[in-house]
Amino acid sequence: GADGVPVAHVAEALREFCAEPRTAFDVLPTMFRRVPRGFHRLLAIGEAVAHLNYLCAEGILVRLVDASGVARFVVSRPGSVAG
Protein backbone atom coordinates (compact mmCIF):
# COMPACT_ATOMS: atom_id res chain seq x y z
CA GLY A 1 0.00 0.00 0.00
CA ALA A 2 0.87 3.66 0.07
CA ASP A 3 4.05 4.32 2.08
CA GLY A 4 3.88 0.84 3.62
CA VAL A 5 0.27 1.25 4.83
CA PRO A 6 -1.86 -1.86 4.07
CA VAL A 7 -4.35 -1.31 1.22
CA ALA A 8 -7.37 -2.49 3.28
CA HIS A 9 -6.45 0.03 5.97
CA VAL A 10 -6.25 2.81 3.37
CA ALA A 11 -9.72 1.97 2.01
CA GLU A 12 -11.24 1.96 5.51
CA ALA A 13 -9.49 5.21 6.44
CA LEU A 14 -10.75 6.88 3.24
CA ARG A 15 -14.32 5.75 3.94
CA GLU A 16 -14.15 7.32 7.39
CA PHE A 17 -12.35 10.50 6.27
CA CYS A 18 -14.78 11.07 3.38
CA ALA A 19 -17.81 11.39 5.66
CA GLU A 20 -17.47 15.01 4.52
CA PRO A 21 -16.61 15.89 0.88
CA ARG A 22 -12.82 15.74 0.33
CA THR A 23 -10.49 16.41 -2.59
CA ALA A 24 -7.69 14.03 -3.58
CA PHE A 25 -5.22 16.49 -2.04
CA ASP A 26 -7.22 16.49 1.22
CA VAL A 27 -6.84 12.73 1.62
CA LEU A 28 -3.02 12.61 1.29
CA PRO A 29 -2.38 12.69 5.07
CA THR A 30 -4.84 9.79 5.43
CA MET A 31 -2.93 7.69 2.91
CA PHE A 32 0.68 8.63 3.67
CA ARG A 33 2.56 8.87 6.95
CA ARG A 34 4.44 11.83 5.46
CA VAL A 35 2.91 13.89 2.65
CA PRO A 36 5.36 13.75 -0.26
CA ARG A 37 6.88 16.89 -1.76
CA GLY A 38 7.69 17.93 -5.31
CA PHE A 39 7.17 15.41 -8.10
CA HIS A 40 6.42 12.69 -5.54
CA ARG A 41 3.38 14.70 -4.42
CA LEU A 42 2.04 14.54 -7.99
CA LEU A 43 2.47 10.76 -7.94
CA ALA A 44 0.77 10.59 -4.53
CA ILE A 45 -2.24 12.57 -5.80
CA GLY A 46 -2.48 10.13 -8.72
CA GLU A 47 -2.50 7.22 -6.27
CA ALA A 48 -5.14 8.97 -4.15
CA VAL A 49 -7.36 9.51 -7.21
CA ALA A 50 -6.99 5.82 -8.11
CA HIS A 51 -8.09 4.74 -4.61
CA LEU A 52 -10.98 7.24 -4.60
CA ASN A 53 -12.15 6.18 -8.06
CA TYR A 54 -12.02 2.52 -7.00
CA LEU A 55 -14.21 3.29 -3.98
CA CYS A 56 -16.60 5.15 -6.30
CA ALA A 57 -16.76 2.14 -8.64
CA GLU A 58 -17.57 -0.04 -5.62
CA GLY A 59 -20.45 2.32 -4.69
CA ILE A 60 -18.82 3.33 -1.41
CA LEU A 61 -18.05 6.92 -2.41
CA VAL A 62 -19.62 9.34 -4.88
CA ARG A 63 -17.74 12.00 -6.84
CA LEU A 64 -19.13 15.54 -6.70
CA VAL A 65 -17.83 18.21 -9.10
CA ASP A 66 -18.48 21.87 -8.30
CA ALA A 67 -19.00 24.73 -10.76
CA SER A 68 -15.25 25.41 -10.93
CA GLY A 69 -14.50 21.77 -11.80
CA VAL A 70 -13.08 20.70 -8.42
CA ALA A 71 -13.90 17.05 -7.66
CA ARG A 72 -14.70 16.02 -4.11
CA PHE A 73 -15.46 12.54 -2.84
CA VAL A 74 -17.96 11.68 -0.13
CA VAL A 75 -19.52 8.53 1.35
CA SER A 76 -22.51 7.52 -0.78
CA ARG A 77 -24.54 6.05 2.08
CA PRO A 78 -24.34 6.88 5.78
CA GLY A 79 -24.18 3.15 6.62
CA SER A 80 -21.09 2.59 4.47
CA VAL A 81 -18.84 4.55 6.87
CA ALA A 82 -19.02 1.72 9.41
CA GLY A 83 -18.53 -0.89 6.72
Side-chain angles (χ1 to χ4, degrees):
D3 198 25
V5 178
V7 173
H9 175 74
V10 170
E12 182 60 31
L14 289 176
R15 278 195 296 240
E16 292 174 11
F17 189 67
C18 291
E20 298 293 326
R22 310 289 185 170
T23 66
F25 184 79
D26 293 337
V27 305
L28 292 182
T30 302
M31 293 183 59
F32 296 91
R33 290 183 180 110
R34 291 178 300 140
V35 175
R37 293 178 180 230
F39 181 70
H40 294 280
R41 183 174 288 176
L42 177 65
L43 297 174
I45 290 173
E47 185 170 345
V49 169
H51 279 277
L52 293 165
N53 283 337
Y54 173 79
L55 293 174
C56 285
E58 291 293 306
I60 296 166
L61 299 180
V62 293
R63 183 175 174 248
L64 309 172
V65 181
D66 67 20
S68 64
V70 175
R72 289 183 175 79
F73 299 83
V74 66
V75 172
S76 62
R77 300 176 303 279
S80 64
V81 172

